[in-house]
Amino acid sequence: MQITEKDRDLLALLAENARLPVATLAKRLSLSRTTVQARLERLEREGVIAGYGLRLSERYMAGLVRAHVLITIAPKALSQVTSSLDKIPELTTLHSVSGSFDLIAIITAPSIAELDQLIDQIGTIDGVERTLSSIILSTRIAR
């Protein structure tokens, strides 16, 4: 998979606003519209661009409570725990990590009370041995 500097610039523009028209992308990249369209199609075909999504505003996100939940799991319980965690819609991201914990989940809730219930729910999943949670106070950099 060969990614050029212009491809990276295109991906950066799309990360800021995936709804930019191809003509606007072309102008900002100093490329023709057909060249940008061809690059987009190639990046999609090669699986670099898997889809286009929604990015919520910081103003909206400020009204929610978010937390990192570090999770230690029992040996050989990864697939079972992952399957159970996948059923929690408030869990937005799940990472496998190295170190004393096995997973880091990012969860979002409208209140501390509901966040507390979610953390308790995660702790009761078969195969979860322990959790450690940190509430996110603010986001300093988001790309």
Side-chain angles (χ1 to χ4, degrees):
M1 192 176 311
Q2 188 71 10
I3 303 295
T4 67
E5 186 66 32
K6 284 290 187 185
D7 290 337
R8 282 190 281 281
D9 293 343
L10 174 57
L11 293 171
L13 287 172
L14 290 171
E16 288 176 27
N17 183 356
R19 293 184 57 156
L20 285 174
V22 173
T24 303
L25 293 168
K27 184 176 180 178
R28 290 192 186 171
L29 294 169
S30 301
L31 296 171
S32 73
R33 186 187 179 291
T34 56
T35 299
V36 171
Q37 186 65 47
R39 283 177 186 267
L40 284 169
E41 289 170 3
R42 179 179 54 82
L43 292 168
E44 290 170 356
R45 184 177 59 251
E46 292 179 357
V48 174
I49 296 175
Y52 300 87
L54 173 68
R55 190 173 78 213
L56 299 171
S57 73
E58 277 302 313
R59 188 172 143 207
Y60 173 78
M61 292 299 289
L64 301 175
V65 183
R66 295 174 291 160
H68 292 160
V69 181
L70 288 77
I71 304 166
T72 301
I73 59 174
K76 300 181 182 178
L78 179 62
S79 62
Q80 175 188 344
V81 170
T82 301
S83 178
S84 295
L85 290 170
D86 189 37
K87 294 178 179 126
I88 300 173
E90 297 87 356
L91 189 148
T92 59
T93 311
L94 182 64
H95 303 280
S96 291
V97 295
S98 62
S100 58
F101 291 90
D102 302 302
L103 302 168
I104 297 177
I106 312 300
I107 59 174
T108 305
S111 69
I112 294 287
E114 291 178 66
L115 185 73
D116 188 38
Q117 290 175 349
L118 286 168
I119 293 168
D120 287 346
Q121 181 182 349
I122 290 170
T124 63
I125 293 172
D126 285 339
V128 170
E129 292 185 341
R130 98 175 190 232
T131 64
L132 176 67
S133 305
S134 296
I135 293 175
I136 299 169
L137 300 175
S138 67
T139 301
R140 303 295 175 143
I141 298 173
R143 295 190 173 121

